[in-house]
Amino acid sequence: MVVALDGTVLTVAQPTLRHDLGASFTQVQWTSTGYLVAVAGLLVFAGRLGDRYGHRRTFALGMLGFGAASAGIALAPDVGWVIGLRVVQGVFGALLQPATLGMLRAAYPPERLRTPIAVRTASIGVAAAAGPVVGGALATEFGWRAVFLLNIVPALVFGLLALATRDRRDGRGRQDRPGPAAGVPLDLPGALLLAVALACLVHTLVTLPGATWSAPVALLAGAAFVRHERRTRSPLLPPEVVGSRAVGGALGVLVIASAALNGGLLTCVYVLQDDLGLTPLRSALLSLPLAVLLVAAAPTSAVLLRRSGARATVAAAMVVLAAGLLLLARASAPFTLCTGFALVGAGFGAVMVAATHVVVRQAPAESAGVAGGLQQTAMNVGPVLGVASATVLMDLGATRSPLVVLAFAAAAALPVCRALPGGSRTVPGPRAPGTPAGGSDATHTDHGAERGPYTRSLRDHEV
């Protein structure tokens, strides 16, 4: 919630920041771009650090550093300092985000992961709903610096709490200890290549439609990373994670759904204010059902996961998301607009819970941080891709055209859902060693994956 709130409140406060510091539009844009580039490039490596040194330690370091960077930004004398400290804040944000999923994977047995992930998703929805209101109020009454002061106390509290909490798996009462991958090399060359590839990819997307040096660099670094991973003995991305059809499908769905959501929201801002002539306040009120339904969809998705499996849940949610975007593409009356936003929020909330559940559950416990890093990477690349696509499409034609294109993109993702686990309750036979995780959503038969307090594998009749 702290990280999600930070991004939403800054968006509202950027005009005030620009006027106060005498910054250009490009400089203000880099207060967001610099953060995104840093986060996208480091999420997977940060997840591996959590696997090796302990997710709680990584989370605490990330949270305390995030709060310290926020304090520095609040005191920054000019926009150059703001941009630099936002990059630093992105580094610490990358440390703490995968750790949240890694801690959940370590703390809960597989059959109980749905509800914690639903709570995590709902907290992000609450932040999305509260962010514009809180940011607008703080920026109006106290200036843009108050937006960053908002992070300091919760970051300090949660960081110190993570350090003080005893590890319940440790009979000697020690605090957070190294994770199950403590003996695995970090693969620093692979981490560097992946960071360069992802950071340049994000930079390319945020600078579209213009040409930029980062596009060829992203391609070269990505190709070098793939070649390195195939040859190294200890790859940054373990084969049991990237080789899983279920994990790959879930990550693909997250990218498409988050691209459709964020690209659609950007388009709706211009539709509501430019085409329909609404005020920013009324536009925000009409879009409020999106955040409300996103929060409500999280626990509902957890129930659907248990009853129907990830495949049916995600497929149905993508249809709802696409229907909401199509409705917004034609809507002009308040009731129709609210209905469209509600459908988009419900669809995205369900997709996020179900797909995240697949990524976290299918990954072995010793690679939970890497899986969390991949999930967060998808959730960072997707929005940038969606906003870039919407911007290009709006420059080429009618204002509402991105909503139609993004709706069809969401519907076109339905074949990807076939890779996700179904809801079958049949008990499968033993899986050969090295076989990627997959199969039934209610199945947990990877005997080598579980570590820590939940060492016994669960079969379908036990879930």
Side-chain angles (χ1 to χ4, degrees):
M1 184 180 289
V2 171
V3 175
L5 192 64
D6 176 80
T8 53
V9 297
L10 175 61
T11 301
V12 178
Q14 280 181 338
T16 307
L17 183 152
R18 183 174 69 86
H19 291 299
D20 188 22
L21 297 181
S24 66
F25 283 103
T26 301
Q27 289 174 320
V28 171
Q29 182 186 15
W30 268 98
T31 63
S32 296
T33 302
Y35 176 88
L36 288 173
V37 169
V39 168
L42 295 174
L43 280 168
V44 175
F45 182 61
R48 176 52 84 193
L49 289 176
D51 292 331
R52 182 181 175 95
Y53 297 109
H55 296 297
R56 190 180 299 130
R57 286 178 176 177
T58 309
F59 172 84
L61 176 62
M63 188 61 80
L64 293 174
F66 195 88
S70 297
I73 295 171
L75 301 174
D78 56 52
V79 71
W81 276 95
V82 174
I83 295 171
L85 288 170
R86 280 287 285 170
V87 173
V88 174
Q89 193 180 43
V91 172
F92 288 109
L95 284 174
L96 70 91
Q97 291 180 67
T100 62
L101 290 172
M103 287 190 291
L104 291 183
R105 179 66 174 84
Y108 289 89
E111 76 278 10
R112 290 179 55 201
L113 274 172
R114 303 179 188 91
T115 299
I117 290 175
V119 172
R120 182 181 182 273
T121 302
S123 71
I124 295 173
V126 171
V133 178
V134 173
L138 289 175
T140 301
E141 296 296 326
F142 305 104
W144 65 269
R145 297 178 189 274
V147 167
F148 293 99
L149 293 174
L150 182 68
N151 298 325
I152 297 175
V153 172
L156 180 65
V157 170
F158 290 128
L160 294 177
L161 188 63
L163 289 177
T165 304
R166 295 183 181 276
D167 190 340
R168 65 180 181 183
R169 291 177 292 174
D170 193 335
R172 293 187 293 266
R174 291 184 303 175
Q175 293 182 352
D176 188 34
R177 55 184 179 176
V184 179
L186 286 178
D187 186 20
L188 294 177
L192 178 61
L193 289 171
L194 182 61
V196 171
L198 289 173
C200 290
L201 172 62
V202 171
H203 182 268
T204 300
L205 292 175
V206 298
T207 54
L208 286 176
T212 176
W213 57 268
S214 56
V217 175
L219 289 174
L220 291 174
F225 173 74
V226 172
R227 184 173 183 269
H228 170 79
E229 290 292 285
R230 288 178 174 176
R231 295 189 173 192
T232 186
R233 293 183 178 181
S234 301
L236 177 66
L237 301 180
E240 60 270 22
V241 177
V242 296
S244 168
R245 290 182 68 248
V247 172
L251 292 173
V253 167
L254 284 171
V255 170
I256 296 170
S258 58
L261 172 73
N262 288 271
L265 286 177
L266 175 68
T267 305
C268 286
V269 170
Y270 290 94
V271 169
L272 294 174
Q273 297 185 28
D274 291 350
D275 289 3
L276 301 180
L278 302 180
T279 64
L281 176 59
R282 191 175 180 191
S283 300
L285 292 175
L286 286 175
S287 65
L288 192 59
L290 187 151
V292 174
L293 266 293
L294 194 156
V295 174
T300 304
S301 180
V303 175
L304 292 175
L305 270 174
R306 184 172 61 251
R307 295 182 177 179
S308 304
R311 186 185 305 155
T313 300
V314 173
M318 292 298 282
V319 171
V320 172
L321 174 59
L325 291 171
L326 286 176
L327 187 59
L328 289 173
R330 301 179 60 87
S332 58
F335 176 78
T336 312
L337 288 167
C338 288
T339 303
F341 280 118
L343 290 174
V344 171
F348 181 76
V351 168
M352 189 173 175
V353 172
T356 301
H357 177 263
V358 171
V359 174
V360 176
R361 177 169 178 166
Q362 296 290 332
E366 61 267 25
S367 299
V370 171
L374 288 171
Q375 189 270 351
Q376 290 296 137
T377 300
M379 295 300 298
N380 278 270
V381 172
V384 177
L385 177 62
V387 169
S389 302
T391 302
V392 172
L393 289 170
M394 283 190 291
D395 287 339
L396 294 177
T399 308
R400 297 185 186 231
S401 61
L403 293 169
V404 178
V405 174
L406 292 169
F408 279 103
L414 290 177
V416 181
C417 298
R418 294 178 60 85
L420 303 180
S424 173
R425 290 284 178 173
T426 58
V427 180
R431 191 168 66 241
T435 303
S440 168
D441 183 55
T443 307
H444 193 84
T445 56
D446 188 354
H447 297 282
E450 289 303 303
R451 303 289 191 273
Y454 307 107
T455 55
R456 190 170 65 90
S457 288
L458 299 174
R459 294 187 178 274
D460 288 334
H461 66 280
E462 297 177 297
V463 176

